[in-house]
Amino acid sequence: MPADNHALELAGTAAAAFRDVYGTEPEGLWAAPGRVNLIGEHTDYNDGFVMPFALPFYAVVAASKADEWSFHSTYGDGQTLGGPSLDGFEGWAAYLAGTAWALNESGYPVGPTRFALHSDVPVGGGLSSSAAIECAVLIALAELYGHDIDRAEAARIAQKAENEYVGAPTGVLDQSASLLCEAGHVMFMDCRDLSREQVPFDLAAEGLAMLVVDTQAPHRHADGEYAQRRADCEEAARQLGVASLRDAPKHAKLDDERLNRRMHHVVTENERVLKTAAILRSGEVRGIGELLTASHTSLRHDYEVSSVELDSAVDAALGAGALGARMTGGGFGGSAIALVEADAIPKIEDAVTGAAAQAGLPAPRIFTARAAQGAHRVA
């Protein structure tokens, strides 16, 4: 599989950083992308359905075997952290150290390695910057230490790093998207067994575009709100006597109103994913717009994970003629997406930016997304 051209550009910076810090050439360079989830939010840890696609933003690592662990990042002041063990790393370094730890814990032994990390996946934008790092590190270590790991299993290992080392109770969506998505496709995936289908997703051919609106409102998974939503779902499933909310009866009703709303979102979101997949297979891409908007309404009211910034972006995009719009990612900040006619991009960008300014919100970063290549060796 040839490397993505943009990943190649980023790899040059990672390789230069490696040479500057360690005085030698790396043994290789590996890249993994961020992602947008088209639809299927907060369904992954409920054994449900998701539809992500990879973004052309990458975390790239230059790496070589070494005598001690060493992690360098081009972020901020260019810190280098390390030591003889994988214990006690925090912040950005936890994603690298945690992935190595998870590989060892999963029966794929890896040893001390030097890394230089460079990434242009927006941090805090809900576009999976942490999973991109984990997946780039994972495929680097697997190759350096001779492990042939199935990509679906690799996603579970990277999730283990995020859950148990970093301490963020996320599902398997982000890591699966980074490792398994293919260029020009959106990936329909069943999170119970990780079975998947690559569905063609060429919006430009239909005269359409997908705008991503990074609201610049910080997005953090490792806080109490995300964990509380997951706990709510587990309690709702327990009260229903099912393994997960994937198995909740369509018209089930719980006495606890909060838990009932959480369940309702998961049940209806799974239905929306299935409908979206069917529409995309038929080639009627414009037909998914209403489903995207319905997803946002559910996330806003039933799951209560939206924010003022996300609602402003979605409402403004719809008001300016978007075919559909929703928040994407875990919520509580981060990014929104809007399906738009290609010739309406300037009008919708202006509307979203103007609405943010009028409300006194940060100026959003807006870009057009394309379905990019998943994790791969660059050089």
Side-chain angles (χ1 to χ4, degrees):
M1 177 189 305
D4 180 283
N5 288 336
H6 181 57
L8 278 169
E9 294 173 11
L10 298 172
T13 302
F18 192 97
R19 289 191 294 270
D20 289 346
V21 173
Y22 303 117
T24 62
E25 292 289 336
E27 291 181 52
L29 295 131
W30 293 265
R35 65 95 189 96
V36 156
N37 193 25
L38 179 65
I39 197 165
E41 220 64 77
H42 290 276
T43 51
D44 57 344
Y45 54 81
N46 287 293
D47 287 345
F49 304 105
V50 294
M51 288 197 78
F53 62 93
L55 286 172
F57 298 105
Y58 290 90
V60 180
V61 293
S64 292
K65 293 180 181 178
D67 295 328
E68 284 199 344
W69 293 100
S70 184
F71 307 115
H72 173 78
S73 172
T74 60
Y75 291 178
D77 58 3
Q79 276 189 309
T80 304
L81 303 171
S85 79
L86 292 167
D87 297 334
F89 289 96
E90 298 179 346
W92 61 267
Y95 298 107
L96 291 90
T99 303
W101 169 86
L103 279 163
N104 282 327
E105 289 287 306
S106 302
Y108 296 101
V110 296
T113 305
R114 291 172 169 172
F115 288 96
L117 164 69
H118 180 61
S119 176
D120 71 344
V121 184
V123 176
L127 303 176
S128 212
S129 58
S130 59
I133 295 170
E134 292 158 357
C135 294
V137 170
L138 191 148
I139 63 171
L141 287 170
E143 187 166 340
L144 286 172
Y145 289 92
H147 301 304
D148 184 12
I149 307 174
D150 176 79
R151 286 289 178 103
E153 182 183 2
R156 294 288 192 198
I157 295 170
Q159 181 196 13
K160 182 181 181 74
E162 184 115 3
N163 290 175
E164 299 184 25
Y165 192 101
V166 178
T170 57
V172 76
L173 163 63
D174 295 350
Q175 293 82 6
S176 297
S178 189
L179 286 163
L180 295 164
C181 282
E182 296 180 3
H185 294 77
V186 63
M187 182 174 69
F188 170 63
M189 188 174 77
D190 183 335
C191 292
R192 171 161 283 166
D193 60 12
L194 299 191
S195 60
R196 56 197 182 274
E197 173 191 357
Q198 303 290 344
V199 182
F201 193 61
D202 184 358
L203 296 181
E206 300 295 326
L208 298 171
M210 184 66 71
L211 292 183
V212 179
V213 182
D214 180 355
T215 66
Q216 305 290 313
H219 161 93
R220 298 183 180 89
H221 273 166
D223 61 13
E225 287 291 339
Y226 188 101
Q228 184 59 55
R229 294 306 181 281
R230 186 161 185 166
D232 284 351
C233 290
E234 291 169 353
E235 176 59 20
R238 189 194 67 78
Q239 290 188 19
L240 288 170
V242 295
S244 71
L245 289 184
R246 157 76 171 271
D247 305 309
K250 186 173 182 178
H251 300 294
K253 181 79 173 174
L254 295 169
D255 291 335
D256 185 299
E257 184 53 35
R258 187 185 79 250
L259 296 184
N260 202 56
R261 291 198 309 274
R262 306 295 187 251
M263 176 191 66
H264 185 259
H265 167 72
V266 174
V267 170
T268 58
E269 187 77 347
N270 278 324
E271 292 176 351
R272 286 186 286 269
V273 177
L274 294 172
K275 290 176 182 177
T276 298
I279 290 171
L280 290 180
R281 291 188 198 105
S282 75
E284 299 294 329
V285 184
R286 285 172 175 79
I288 71 172
E290 291 182 1
L291 294 166
L292 301 183
T293 303
S295 173
H296 184 77
T297 300
S298 181
L299 288 158
R300 183 177 188 170
H301 298 295
D302 282 344
Y303 222 68
E304 299 177 286
V305 292
S306 192
S307 68
V308 172
E309 297 88 353
L310 290 167
D311 292 342
S312 171
V314 168
D315 292 346
L318 292 171
L323 301 174
R326 63 181 290 271
M327 57 155 278
T328 187
F332 312 109
S335 296
I337 59 174
L339 179 67
V340 306
E341 301 287 352
D343 59 9
I345 290 174
K347 176 184 176 184
I348 292 170
E349 286 181 339
D350 287 347
V352 171
T353 301
Q358 187 172 1
L361 302 172
R365 177 191 179 198
I366 306 174
F367 59 90
T368 302
R370 64 173 173 84
Q373 183 177 338
H376 59 285
R377 180 165 183 159
V378 179

